[in-house]
């Protein structure tokens, strides 16, 4: 069987917990402009989950995606070892995919962790950061000069 998962693949119960957390976080989305609620749930190396939702603003560029909300919550509480993030939206026919800005922010914390992209029914595809953002620029590159 083909291996299509990162080296630190999650146990099924972890995956379900993470997906449910992202769906729950979506309920808090503040998205009066896009009407496109998104939730994210981030699993740390020591088993904690930090969730987030999109938070829009009347000054549109100041809006923040769910993924970055979750990451900022985790970092601000002292956690930066991430195993996986799950993302949920109301899309029925497509898996929700992180935007380019979020991919770069996630990549800051490594390339070998898992991104679970879901449909509204809870089905998902999983990719590593390396797969979602190949040939990326990261903190290690700043040490090369
Ligand atoms: Zn984003």
């Amino acid at each position: 069987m083909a291996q299509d998962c990162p080296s630190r693949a999650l146990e099924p119960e972890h995956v379900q917990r993470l997906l449910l957390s992202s769906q729950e976080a979506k309920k808090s989305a503040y998205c009066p402009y896009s009407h496109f609620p998104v939730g994210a749930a981030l699993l740390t190396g020591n088993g904690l989950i930090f969730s987030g939702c999109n938070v829009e603003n009347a000054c549109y560029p100041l809006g923040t995606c769910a993924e970055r909300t979750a990451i900022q919550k985790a970092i601000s509480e002292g956690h930066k070892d991430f195993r996986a993030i799950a993302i949920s939206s109301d899309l029925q026919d497509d898996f929700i995919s992180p935007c380019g800005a979020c991919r770069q922010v996630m990549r800051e914390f490594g390339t070998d962790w898992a991104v679970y992209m879901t449909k509204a029914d809870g089905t998902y595809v999983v990719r590593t950061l390396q797969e979602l953002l190949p040939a990326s620029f990261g903190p290690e590159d700043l040490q090369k000069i």
Side-chain angles (χ1 to χ4, degrees):
M1 191 171 130
Q3 275 290 53
D4 189 23
C5 48
S7 60
R8 295 198 297 171
L10 299 189
E11 305 75 17
E13 58 271 22
H14 264 132
V15 173
Q16 283 313 308
R17 206 172 122 229
L18 206 57
L19 297 189
L20 288 173
S21 294
S22 70
Q23 290 166 347
E24 188 65 29
K26 178 168 61 77
K27 296 176 185 171
S28 299
Y30 177 74
C31 52
Y33 310 109
S34 72
H35 306 287
F36 193 93
V38 180
L42 184 63
L43 179 68
T44 67
N46 56 358
L48 297 176
I49 290 179
F50 291 88
S51 64
C53 61
N54 49 336
V55 183
E56 296 181 346
N57 192 281
C59 179
Y60 287 12
L62 297 182
T64 303
C65 299
E67 300 92 315
R68 280 179 282 156
T69 301
I71 288 171
Q72 288 167 6
K73 285 172 68 178
I75 295 294
S76 64
E77 297 197 22
H79 301 274
K80 60 182 180 188
D81 174 29
F82 304 138
R83 291 187 67 191
I85 190 168
I87 312 165
S88 292
S89 79
D90 290 338
L91 289 177
Q92 304 287 330
D93 299 324
D94 295 288
F95 298 102
I96 185 69
S97 182
C99 77
C102 286
R103 293 178 192 210
Q104 181 65 36
V105 169
M106 291 189 264
R107 186 266 174 262
E108 180 74 12
F109 305 99
T111 57
D112 188 30
W113 54 291
V115 181
Y116 288 79
M117 300 172 283
T118 73
K119 289 182 184 176
D121 66 3
T123 55
Y124 63 84
V125 293
V126 57
R127 296 287 181 269
T128 62
L129 252 301
Q130 176 60 37
E131 291 170 315
L132 292 178
L133 195 66
S136 64
F137 182 83
E140 308 82 23
D141 294 304
L142 292 175
Q143 308 304 318
K144 293 178 180 172
I145 55 170

